[in-house]
Amino acid sequence: VQLQASGGGLVRAGGSLRLSCAASGNILSIDAMGWYRQRPGKQRELVATTTSGGSTNYADSVKGRFTISRDNAKYTVDLQMNSLKPEDTAVYYCEADGTYYHPRAPFEAWGQGTLVTVSS
């Protein structure tokens, strides 16, 4: 299973960016999809996740500013980021948990990361 992320870039504080991620490969189903980030000098942290049933979870630091959405049929997950702050600067990674089509086995896959830089 491969995850391809896109949409990172440079934006000024207060601006917006939209990240997209598409999963492909030997997929029977995907349960959870999400976005994580690694800020300079920090460990990777959860940003937002969503389940196939539509439940969402956000880090406190992004609540009210970021919105996660997914298309179950297309195996895609997006992250709309508004009111960006310099502290949102990080490499953002998409992640998916699901089941392989063959053999029937669980998987966890990560995208390659996309850099978001927010200038003050």
Side-chain angles (χ1 to χ4, degrees):
V1 174
Q2 298 81 41
L3 268 60
Q4 182 68 45
S6 62
L10 173 63
V11 64
R12 290 186 177 181
S16 298
L17 278 176
R18 187 177 184 88
L19 305 182
S20 297
C21 178
S24 62
N26 182 24
I27 300 170
L28 174 67
S29 63
I30 295 181
D31 303 316
M33 299 187 81
W35 290 93
Y36 294 74
R37 68 186 181 188
Q38 187 161 17
R39 293 184 279 184
K42 303 287 187 179
Q43 291 188 330
R44 191 174 298 187
E45 61 182 357
L46 179 148
V47 176
T49 60
T50 180
T51 67
S52 57
S55 298
T56 58
N57 181 47
Y58 294 91
D60 289 342
S61 60
V62 307
K63 284 180 180 177
R65 300 187 298 122
F66 292 9
T67 302
I68 190 170
S69 60
R70 66 185 280 178
D71 185 325
N72 290 330
K74 296 181 179 179
Y75 301 138
T76 60
V77 62
D78 292 344
L79 185 69
Q80 177 65 42
M81 305 185 293
N82 298 328
S83 303
L84 282 160
K85 304 175 180 179
E87 52 263 43
D88 294 318
T89 295
V91 177
Y92 285 72
Y93 299 89
C94 58
E95 186 267 352
D97 297 307
T99 303
Y100 287 116
Y101 181 79
H102 179 76
R104 295 289 197 264
F107 70 80
E108 179 187 51
W110 289 85
Q112 81 282 12
T114 185
L115 178 62
V116 172
T117 303
V118 184
S119 63
S120 57

